[in-house]
Amino acid sequence: MKQAVILGIISYPVFPAEMGGQKCVEGFYKQLSTQTKLVLAVAKQNRTDRIPGAHTENFLYDHWKGPLNMLYLIRLIRLIRKQQVDVIIIEHSYFGWLGLILRFFTGKKMIIRSHNIEAYRFRDLQRPFWKLYYSYERFVHRKADHSFFITEEDLSYALKNWKLDPAKTSVVTYGVSLDSAILDLKPTLRKKLLEHFNIPNNYSLFLFSGTLNYTPNTDALHVIVYELLPRLRNQSLSFRIFICGKNLSAQWKKVLKEQPELIVTGFVDDISIFMSGADCSINPVTLGGGIKTKLVEALAYHQTVITTQTGAKGISTALTGSKMKIVPDYDWELFANAMNNFNPYQQANTPEPFFERYHWPAIVDKALVSLESL
């Protein structure tokens, strides 16, 4: 069987990947490049050396300048013909319109890889055009030859509300590349964090990470400061919470640094030190869709996670055992109690079936099965 040639079109900065959504893109294509011939057309800000197995060209306009890519239509058509591309994958629905135009001129199949229901993400961000985007998003998914969704919940939503053909949809989730060897580092890295930040050994170490100017995460910061900390202070828990992430506003930085229980690190080059060294990740998030990539990463590092129901969407509880403790949205008393009752010295490992489901090779194998059916 001829090896498929795939063109990925990525309309925003991804390479090198720093945030969860960027890692979702980079991880998928890194694995895909080992199993297919991969061509990437990406936004100008991207580096072209991040996926050695791919032919990468960085010339596209990104985000709101997207319509200007009509200027590159002939270049993209030539790229498709020169590289003998079989399938076009559009990351997110943003450039779905471009994929449809390329399909019209080349006859190649077009797939949209959705990371969430974008219109509802725009709604949560209070963007006034979200209803218009909803109509567009539904339209391009209906016209696509296949749609990849990142969670079962998003897929079910699209089937019910957009009336997609189930045969033209599948779940291609977020993945990790870690293995159980990381367990050997956990005691060493925990000790390193305690010493570096001058924390007593008997303290519980919690972690909250993410892009800190993203509305669901700034809302979670508000919950931590004004809902969880007052409740935890009334209990007997000795703890520190690491706040890791980029794009923290000066106002939030001031508020967080006034809380003695919080340690604000800013962006860290190697989040694995905190994922392995901290005892537990917390995710008091009640906004946003898709899958919370930071939870998948935390579980891959054998961290226990305490999360809201919204934050747990997309992660199968059947695969996480006791590692994911789910609290109803907005029940901050119960969330604080879960943190207070957490015992860092009595933790099981993340079950092996979790890695079988959220491992990039298995995820890409599933995606390729869908591609072969086009």
Side-chain angles (χ1 to χ4, degrees), residues 7 51 82 90 124 225 228 264 300 365 372:
L7 169 63
I51 303 182
K82 180 180 179 180
I90 306 291
D124 290 343
V225 172
L228 297 180
V264 181
D365 282 345
E372 290 170 1

Side-chain angles (χ1 to χ4, degrees), residues 2-6 37 39 78-87 108:
K2 174 181 174 291
Q3 186 184 52
V5 181
I6 296 172
K37 180 180 177 182
V39 182
R78 287 175 176 170
L79 179 65
I80 290 169
R81 290 173 177 167
K82 180 180 179 180
Q83 298 293 331
Q84 299 181 317
V85 168
D86 299 302
V87 178
K108 305 305 178 182

Side-chain angles (χ1 to χ4, degrees), residues 90-274:
I90 306 291
E91 286 295 314
H92 299 276
S93 54
Y94 310 141
F95 281 9
W97 60 270
L98 181 60
L100 294 176
I101 294 172
L102 291 173
R103 183 178 68 181
F104 177 80
F105 283 105
T106 66
K108 305 305 178 182
K109 301 294 185 181
M110 190 272 282
I111 292 175
I112 296 176
R113 183 171 176 243
S114 171
H115 294 230
N116 46 48
I117 305 300
E118 289 292 339
Y120 286 165
R121 185 175 73 86
F122 289 143
R123 180 195 62 187
D124 290 343
L125 294 174
Q126 298 182 332
R127 303 282 170 80
F129 56 80
W130 74 267
K131 290 184 179 179
L132 181 62
Y133 195 89
Y134 177 90
S135 298
Y136 160 78
E137 188 174 19
R138 178 179 59 186
F139 169 79
V140 293
H141 275 284
R142 283 178 171 177
K143 293 296 183 181
D145 294 291
H146 199 90
S147 294
F148 290 149
F149 292 95
I150 203 163
T151 67
E152 294 286 352
E153 290 90 342
D154 283 1
L155 172 58
S156 296
Y157 177 90
L159 293 176
K160 179 180 178 181
N161 295 280
W162 296 347
K163 310 301 180 187
L164 302 188
D165 180 353
K168 294 183 178 182
T169 64
S170 54
V171 173
V172 176
T173 191
Y174 176 71
V176 293
S177 301
L178 301 174
D179 57 35
S180 57
I182 199 71
L183 280 171
D184 298 337
L185 299 176
K186 291 184 76 67
T188 300
L189 293 177
R190 186 181 196 277
K191 183 179 179 182
K192 183 176 181 179
L193 290 179
L194 293 174
E195 292 176 349
H196 183 78
F197 292 101
N198 195 28
I199 303 170
N201 187 58
N202 65 325
Y203 276 46
S204 294
L205 304 182
F206 296 98
L207 171 66
F208 177 77
S209 62
T211 306
L212 300 177
N213 65 345
Y214 179 47
T215 299
N217 288 335
T218 55
D219 182 72
L221 291 179
H222 188 278
V223 170
I224 290 171
V225 172
Y226 298 107
E227 299 288 353
L228 297 180
L229 285 183
R231 290 174 168 85
L232 292 170
R233 286 166 182 158
N234 290 331
Q235 300 178 0
S236 58
L237 182 64
S238 298
F239 69 97
R240 289 292 183 267
I241 302 175
F242 295 108
I243 308 292
C244 299
K246 64 189 302 184
N247 298 332
L248 183 66
S249 70
Q251 182 180 5
W252 264 115
K253 187 178 295 186
K254 181 177 184 297
V255 170
L256 297 182
K257 289 196 171 182
E258 289 173 350
Q259 319 304 319
E261 300 89 350
L262 304 184
I263 299 174
V264 181
T265 68
F267 175 75
V268 292
D269 291 325
D270 187 3
I271 193 63
S272 67
I273 295 173
F274 292 87

